[in-house]
Amino acid sequence: MADQELIEKLRATVGREYGRVNAWDEVNAPMIRHWCEVMGIDNPLYTDPAAARDAGYPDVVAPPAMLQVWGMAGLDLDNFAPGSTDANVFEILKDIEAYGYPGVVAVNSELSFDRYLHVGERLYYRSRIDQISEEKTTALGTGFFVTAIMTYFVEQDDRDDERVGELLFRVFKFKPAERPKAAEPAAAKTDAPKAMRPLPGISDDSRFFWDGCREGKLLIQRCTACRTLQHPPAPVCSTCQSFELDHVQASGQGELYSFVVMHYPEVAPFEHPNPIGLIELDEGVRLVAGLVGVVPDDLKIGQRLQVEFNTFDGRLTLPQFRPVAG
């Protein structure tokens, strides 16, 4: 259980806003060209002034995905352009660490763009702590999901600065889970042990799914705020970022959206060839599962499937999908 003092500190941090961070350089063609070369992008709007003018722009424009690049510090950590704030939106991570949560991992990043950026424009961003979750337990360990939002603006001389995009960045600050100690080597046996199916990593966010499988139910996570269904389960809604989640039982019917057939290497205890499908459920969610009762050469995209639950090694129940007759 998290320290109450830490909980109060985290609650007080949500919504905190930080000052501006200035870009080192104006939007410029050389940086755009170098970025496109690295990313393997050949859109003429980004590299050919004539093509950009034909499309109605005064010069080349910057790829939208470069939005974050203009505000980066560079190789030296926190070496931001003059006039930038000294405060860091993720300073709260140091406070969490002081309470015994040393691990950190980036969870996801989402960019949104309002328009193209033009050569010569100068950017800055302002940031805020948008959300901090309650203490969560995952396969990595126990800790807090911290979500920051950076809003980007273009400086304007004769009117209010214009918002041009937003970056959501989420990290997990956690206390690593204790790993089980390695068992003492067993005495040599004449008969090799039977290979068993590996067990999935189960966290507080996904436990309902595996419990449902044992009961013969295909349960799908649902956001109670925007009603979006999502799979695999996550600690936060991927659509509206809400932490308020429950689950619903799916019909178990759907169609084959895509598939692969594993031939080699042959890994025990799986049978080969081993068909694996990406199934689109009738509820609109896709999930990966094994296909049973199929001839690999007869698999067809779009064919109807029905879930069935099979237990392996007396300890693991998996949802697998079988073609619907007819």
Side-chain angles (χ1 to χ4, degrees), residues 2-306:
D3 187 285
Q4 186 60 34
E5 183 180 25
L6 173 59
I7 296 297
E8 295 300 327
K9 184 175 295 187
L10 297 182
R11 288 174 179 169
T13 302
V14 174
R16 181 178 297 172
E17 297 187 354
Y18 294 78
R20 62 187 279 168
V21 174
N22 297 320
W24 275 103
D25 303 286
E26 295 179 345
V27 177
N28 62 86
M31 285 180 65
I32 294 173
R33 186 181 71 254
H34 295 162
W35 190 90
C36 288
E37 289 175 358
V38 170
M39 296 298 181
I41 295 175
D42 58 3
N43 189 329
L45 285 179
Y46 308 148
T47 56
D48 184 346
R53 284 193 290 270
D54 288 344
Y57 301 104
D59 202 337
V60 296
V61 293
M66 279 190 76
L67 180 64
Q68 185 183 8
V69 173
W70 304 108
M72 285 183 169
L75 296 179
D76 296 329
L77 186 64
D78 295 335
N79 180 30
F80 292 104
S84 299
T85 179
D86 293 330
N88 189 313
V89 69
F90 284 117
E91 62 188 4
I92 187 61
L93 299 185
K94 296 180 181 178
D95 293 333
I96 298 175
E97 184 167 333
Y99 284 84
Y101 300 81
V104 64
V105 63
V107 178
N108 65 298
S109 175
E110 300 176 10
L111 279 171
S112 60
F113 325 103
D114 298 340
R115 66 164 173 83
Y116 280 122
L117 298 178
H118 301 159
V119 169
E121 291 183 320
R122 184 173 290 277
L123 275 71
Y124 66 90
Y125 69 83
R126 297 183 182 276
S127 54
R128 75 176 189 276
I129 297 293
D130 186 60
Q131 286 182 316
I132 300 179
S133 73
E134 297 179 355
E135 190 177 43
K136 296 271 188 176
T137 299
T138 73
L140 286 176
T142 300
F144 304 89
F145 290 89
V146 180
T147 305
I149 291 182
M150 282 67 87
T151 306
Y152 289 79
F153 299 87
V154 166
E155 292 183 344
Q156 306 280 3
D157 293 332
D158 55 351
R159 57 186 185 277
D160 292 341
D161 294 343
E162 180 185 2
R163 176 200 143 114
V164 291
E166 187 176 83
L167 166 67
L168 178 149
F169 196 81
R170 181 177 292 115
V171 300
F172 183 46
K173 189 66 174 167
F174 63 99
K175 184 184 305 180
E178 293 187 7
R179 303 298 180 187
K181 295 181 179 179
E184 294 293 330
K189 297 181 180 179
T190 55
D191 296 329
K194 177 185 176 182
M196 295 190 294
R197 294 219 177 197
L199 294 174
I202 299 178
S203 69
D204 287 349
D205 299 308
S206 63
R207 186 168 287 106
F208 76 89
F209 176 80
W210 298 108
D211 290 345
C213 289
R214 285 194 296 272
E215 298 173 4
K217 300 176 182 178
L218 186 61
L219 302 180
I220 303 298
Q221 192 174 56
R222 177 181 64 179
C223 174
T224 60
C226 69
R227 316 304 287 180
T228 296
L229 300 180
Q230 65 180 14
H231 187 85
V236 64
C237 174
S238 60
T239 299
C240 73
Q241 318 307 320
S242 171
F243 288 99
E244 301 304 319
L245 305 167
D246 63 5
H247 53 266
V248 296
Q249 183 174 352
S251 66
Q253 298 180 354
E255 62 181 39
L256 189 59
Y257 185 84
S258 182
F259 68 92
V260 296
V261 180
M262 304 297 297
H263 293 273
Y264 186 83
E266 294 187 358
V267 178
F270 301 98
E271 297 179 357
H272 294 80
N274 182 21
I276 305 295
L278 177 61
I279 296 90
E280 185 167 273
L281 299 176
D282 289 347
E283 290 79 9
V285 179
R286 297 173 190 161
L287 76 163
V288 176
L291 302 175
V292 294
V294 301
V295 177
D297 290 343
D298 293 340
L299 288 171
K300 297 185 184 300
I301 302 299
Q303 71 183 106
R304 296 291 297 173
L305 303 170
Q306 173 67 51

